[in-house]
Amino acid sequence: MEKYIGKSVYKGTAIGPVRVLKKTESLVKRKHIDDVEAEVDRLDKAKTLTYDQLGTLYEKALQEVGETNAAIFEVHQMMLEDDDYQDSIRGMIQNEEVNAEYAVAVTGDNFSKMFASMEDEYMQARAVDVKDISNRLISNLCGDEQFDWDAMEPSIIVADDLTPSETVQMDKSKILAFVTVHGSTNSHTAILARMMNIPALVSVPLDLERMQNGTQVLVDGKEACFYVNPDDSMINLAREKQKQEAEQRQLLANYKGKASITKSGRKIHVYANIGNVSDVAYVMENDAEGIGLFRSEFLYLGRTSLPDETEQFHAYRQVLQMMAGKKVIIRTLDIGADKNVDYLGFDHEDNPAMGYRAIRICLEQKDVFKTQLRALLRAAKYGNLSIMYPMITSVDEVLRIYEIVDEVKQELEQENIPYEMPEQGIMIETPAAVMISEELAEHVDFFSIGTNDLTQYTLAIDRQNSRLDRFYNPHHEAILRMIQMTIDGAHKHGKWVGICGELGADLSFTERFVQMGIDELSVAPSMVLGIRSKICEME
Ligand code: PEP
Ligand code: MG
């Protein structure tokens, strides 16, 4: 038995076979090869494999998302077979006697740059596709295994690191736990694990090369421990813990159907955070009163082009209809920093957390923003929707947003498309927003405090940097005073205020938040009943 200690992202115990998720080295090295023919042969085999994989993906997408969305995989097949693309790769292998991986990487880069520089928008968008195909081809040349989620038995996923876009693409029903060698406890991947109610550890010092798929492993989320080949006593202990966890869940289930009211009669709204339409199931299972944060950007991740108005409208409408009149707060696109969207082609940034993200992108890329707003306003007819804008730092930004919303309303009216105007609120997640919260409150319907970013920006700590995890302290007195200031600012103008950052789920602070005057807490679905029980038990 081997024991490793990491950092806990989400408590809970899991036992099962391990599945190592290997990723292609992003840096492909140039190597000299002696046998050119054998190298071309290797390329041909990888090409056939890639072509077949794209065919399988097409069939799967056809079933799940329809013909229009599936068509992209057929386009990828055509691009893979394109003569110019193939000739260029072969030419490099033969003339420069280099390895196939290197020839594909260079050709992929060149073709991608060529597409990106074209006038036509459709052709520009192909830049990402050619990169995607080249990466898949390289991955097959390296012998990387493509994950077949359907064939996999429920497993504990172990990886070097996981990006939010990789995480959203996974089949959650097959994941018993997540374990990563790198990664921070405050990243969006960690947040996703909490949302999915899956035990998770990060910063576990594992040697992935030595890890064999299928080996029995054990994750103890509470103690932040990972065991390889646990002995019988460890397994028995873990099973006992799982039993206790199930009993605890059973106890909390008694709070289903109850309101979250303190003994003295103060009602707090306890809502849930989600990232995808399918997460609504967790919201219902845990009897949340509403959705306090739908991170809509997850609809934009793990794909090769923007979701269009119809796709977004369907997603938002579905959530609203499933929630049947309960409040649903959808946050507009908050990409940037760790939530990368390659297909928008933004330049590399040295300091992305403080960079081009969220509302800053939306105010500049008006078309992208307007598409989302149109979908939201149209969907608002189907339930109790509120819109929330992220990363606000000034009143001026709010007023500019309202101008764009007005344009969208006028356009919908001109086109005779039915819509409704939802409530509009903002995230308070920058120190600037806290300091001017009183002024901001005059212009919006509600506030939701994003303690994850507020902690990052107040303490000057990159939430992605796992080395700084022990300095990242959302309990810092500065953060608590800022929360108080925000609540006071909102209440002065009769507006309600909630917390949707991870601190909102910290049971050791629930009582303090209620004393501070908080009106709403929006937490991972699995935390809803715990928070409710705490509120019901307090004076
Ligand atoms: C926050 O910053 O607290 C928040 C809720 O938003 P996100 O974690 O998605 O940045
Ligand atoms: Mg945030």
Side-chain angles (χ1 to χ4, degrees), residues 188 295 331 334 339 357 390-391 427 429 450-454 456-457 463:
H188 282 93
R295 289 179 163 94
R331 175 173 76 183
D334 183 6
K339 289 176 286 195
R357 56 170 292 196
M391 283 289 290
M427 301 268 310
E429 53 185 342
T451 50
N452 309 336
D453 277 318
L454 189 57
Q456 151 164 274
Y457 296 125
R463 65 194 261 199

Side-chain angles (χ1 to χ4, degrees), residues 186-188 191 273 293 295 297-298 331 334 338-339 357 388 390-391 427-429 448-457 463 472 499-503 522:
N186 310 302
S187 68
H188 282 93
I191 289 172
N273 295 346
L293 168 63
R295 289 179 163 94
E297 58 275 11
F298 286 118
R331 175 173 76 183
D334 183 6
D338 60 330
K339 289 176 286 195
R357 56 170 292 196
M388 178 156 75
M391 283 289 290
M427 301 268 310
I428 300 288
E429 53 185 342
S448 189
I449 306 173
T451 50
N452 309 336
D453 277 318
L454 189 57
T455 305
Q456 151 164 274
Y457 296 125
R463 65 194 261 199
Y472 181 97
I499 298 178
C500 62
E502 299 295 285
L503 183 64
S522 190

